[in-house]
Amino acid sequence: MAEGRNYRTLAAVYEAKRPKEVAELYDRWAETYDSDMATAGYRHPTICLALLARYLPRGASPILDAGAGTGLIGEWLRIVGYPCVEALDISEGMLAQAARKGCYDALHHLALGGALPFADDRFAGIVSAGVFTSGHVGAEGMDELIRICRPGGVLVLTVKDTIWEHGFAARVAELENALVVARLEETEPYVSMPGEAGTIPSRGLVLQVL
């Protein structure tokens, strides 16, 4: 896919207004997603993997890859020592690609932002790369992730600056003040796709559930 076409695909995804529209766009993109994102120099998966490994002990289980896509993070998690990983994504097409990699113990076709069908304290850690961004999920998606992550567990998220500045930072501060989470790390803003002109910076965030 040429860079211009890749940019148009990303723009359409970010401009989508309804979850169904987001899912359909990703379904159509699924087969070329890995190669397109490699061309764009996509950094979120690598940064999330590094942050998770820094704060969650090797062997912690299970892990939820929330917004797993084609499994760009999932295929590395078992290699670095996390033996049980489950995937959640809004797109069936993306999950089908992830399934071919054989790196997940379960696949869940679900959207973030509303109630999730998991028990309280279900996961030792949750990673969510490229989900808290334009046209996807805002601060409202955090509450359920916190609920299903056990005390002492960590959430590793990437957050686009436009989301961070319009309610996300304030919501994190509220949760810290209420002693629901502790902020373990917040990275400097970085460009997630150096190969795409005009990419708005994001930051990595690590929260521990208290």
Side-chain angles (χ1 to χ4, degrees):
M1 179 182 286
E3 181 177 318
R5 185 178 169 192
N6 191 21
Y7 181 81
R8 289 194 297 273
T9 303
L10 286 165
V13 168
Y14 292 148
E15 291 169 4
K17 304 299 183 186
R18 302 183 310 278
K20 181 179 179 182
E21 185 182 358
V22 173
E24 289 172 350
L25 287 165
Y26 276 118
D27 285 346
R28 293 197 294 269
W29 194 7
E31 288 190 7
T32 62
Y33 182 85
D34 283 10
S35 59
D36 292 343
M37 296 308 267
T39 298
Y42 189 45
R43 293 171 167 176
H44 282 336
T46 305
I47 289 169
C48 282
L49 184 72
L51 291 173
L52 187 72
R54 180 177 293 168
Y55 292 104
L56 193 67
R58 178 183 176 90
S61 177
I63 307 298
L64 178 65
D65 187 356
T70 59
L72 291 178
I73 297 176
E75 59 186 325
W76 298 335
L77 287 172
R78 197 181 304 272
I79 294 171
V80 299
Y82 300 107
C84 180
V85 185
E86 301 184 19
L88 176 158
D89 202 86
I90 195 173
S91 165
E92 288 186 284
M94 291 290 209
L95 286 175
Q97 295 296 320
R100 293 189 178 101
K101 296 177 180 178
C103 56
Y104 292 110
D105 296 273
L107 302 169
H108 306 282
H109 180 216
L110 299 166
L112 294 178
L116 296 174
F118 301 115
D120 294 354
D121 308 337
R122 169 79 173 82
F123 295 99
I126 298 173
V127 59
S128 189
V131 175
F132 292 95
T133 187
S134 306
H136 289 50
V137 182
E140 73 281 354
M142 275 196 298
D143 289 351
E144 276 292 273
L145 296 184
I146 292 168
R147 179 186 67 80
I148 64 176
C149 186
R150 66 189 58 153
V154 298
L155 309 180
V156 177
L157 318 171
T158 65
V159 187
K160 183 165 280 191
D161 277 0
T162 48
I163 302 295
W164 182 258
E165 294 162 3
H166 290 85
F168 204 100
R171 180 59 178 150
V172 170
E174 288 176 359
L175 291 167
E176 287 182 292
N177 291 336
L179 301 181
V180 174
V181 300
R183 187 177 336 204
L184 300 183
E185 183 166 347
E186 178 188 330
T187 73
E188 293 295 320
Y190 63 90
V191 174
S192 61
M193 289 177 285
E196 292 294 333
T199 301
I200 295 170
S202 302
R203 70 195 64 209
L205 183 67
V206 184
L207 302 175
Q208 184 175 53
V209 177
L210 300 177

